[in-house]
Amino acid sequence: MAVSTGGEDLGKRMAQLAREFAAPDEVDDVLRRVTHAAVELIPGADCADVLVVGGRRQFESKAATSDLPAYLAAVQIALGEGPCLDAATRDATVRADDLRGETRWPRYACAAVEVGVLSMLTVHLYSHSSTVGALNLYSFRVAGFDRGDEATAEMLGTHAALATAAASAHRQMTSALASRDLIGQAKGMLMERFHIDAIRAFELLRRLSQERNTPLVRIAEELVATGSRLASSRSADRPAADDPR
């Protein structure tokens, strides 16, 4: 459970988190930082998770601070109702002060109360490409969250959105560099094998990609792998310097 945080301390902690989130990192690590920060900074939050919505509306609970959020996420997904689904898919902030009398999601509310969750706060976390998500906070008390907590959760959501975008961009850049390196190796092999220049080698790769309906980088990967195997085979078959053969 989080401890009460004064306004000045909250500001300092948010600034610290902003600096931490600014560094490129794996998306899952970013989400774990967000959920743990939420439990740390928001007094009513007993546990938290992020509900991620992928292609074809596939839902997944990530970065849960305990087993409970993942269980309740699964309940919402199975029932097709709940505050996390609303926040994730409707770009909204949703607060439920007393789930015992909640009428918006009656079946989910009953399941949540059965495991001790009496109030919730969930905010739309990010919208990047085809994926959206929500930061979800669970409390074992009635009216566990107020407007100030909403503001804190929304700030964490903003930091998470920026950090997630940065992590995604970093991953894409790393992948692009690796792809460029593979294509460069494949071009070099073709230039050496067929005595052609770099432009004609790339054109050959492009035509192979079109004819086989295969991404160019995959063609390059296959050529490099084949070339490496052939080189290893030739090396193994070559007699040693002092071999009388």
Side-chain angles (χ1 to χ4, degrees), residues 179-206 208 216 219-221 223-228 234:
S179 298
R180 189 174 67 179
D181 185 55
L182 270 174
I183 292 170
Q185 291 182 57
K187 282 170 53 181
M189 292 172 61
L190 292 174
M191 291 167 65
E192 181 180 3
R193 175 67 178 81
F194 298 108
H195 306 290
I196 56 179
D197 60 22
I199 295 176
R200 293 187 64 189
F202 182 79
E203 180 63 19
L204 180 56
L205 285 173
R206 189 183 66 80
L208 285 170
L216 192 146
I219 295 291
E221 184 178 16
L223 286 172
V224 170
T226 301
S228 297
R234 287 195 297 266

Side-chain angles (χ1 to χ4, degrees), residues 7 29 49 52 55 83 101 138 144 147 155 169 185 189 198 229 236:
D29 291 337
D49 77 332
V52 174
Y138 305 79
R147 293 294 296 274
M155 282 191 289
Q185 291 182 57
M189 292 172 61
R229 287 195 297 270

Side-chain angles (χ1 to χ4, degrees), residues 128-188:
H128 181 67
S129 185
S130 61
T131 304
V132 295
L135 170 62
N136 311 304
L137 310 180
Y138 305 79
S139 181
F140 299 143
R141 69 190 79 170
V142 173
F145 307 102
D146 58 24
R147 293 294 296 274
D149 297 328
E150 287 185 27
T152 300
E154 288 168 358
M155 282 191 289
L156 285 170
T158 299
H159 286 309
L162 295 172
T164 301
S168 178
H170 180 71
R171 186 172 61 250
Q172 290 173 3
M173 182 183 69
T174 301
S175 177
L177 290 172
S179 298
R180 189 174 67 179
D181 185 55
L182 270 174
I183 292 170
Q185 291 182 57
K187 282 170 53 181

Side-chain angles (χ1 to χ4, degrees), residues 67-89:
D67 294 336
L68 187 59
Y71 166 73
L72 290 177
V75 170
Q76 292 183 72
I77 294 167
L79 295 175
E81 67 172 39
C84 305
L85 296 183
D86 283 359
T89 59

Side-chain angles (χ1 to χ4, degrees), residues 51-74:
L51 186 69
V52 174
V53 189
R56 298 184 180 180
R57 296 179 70 84
Q58 295 296 312
F59 299 90
E60 182 181 4
S61 173
K62 289 195 172 187
T65 60
S66 72
D67 294 336
L68 187 59
Y71 166 73
L72 290 177

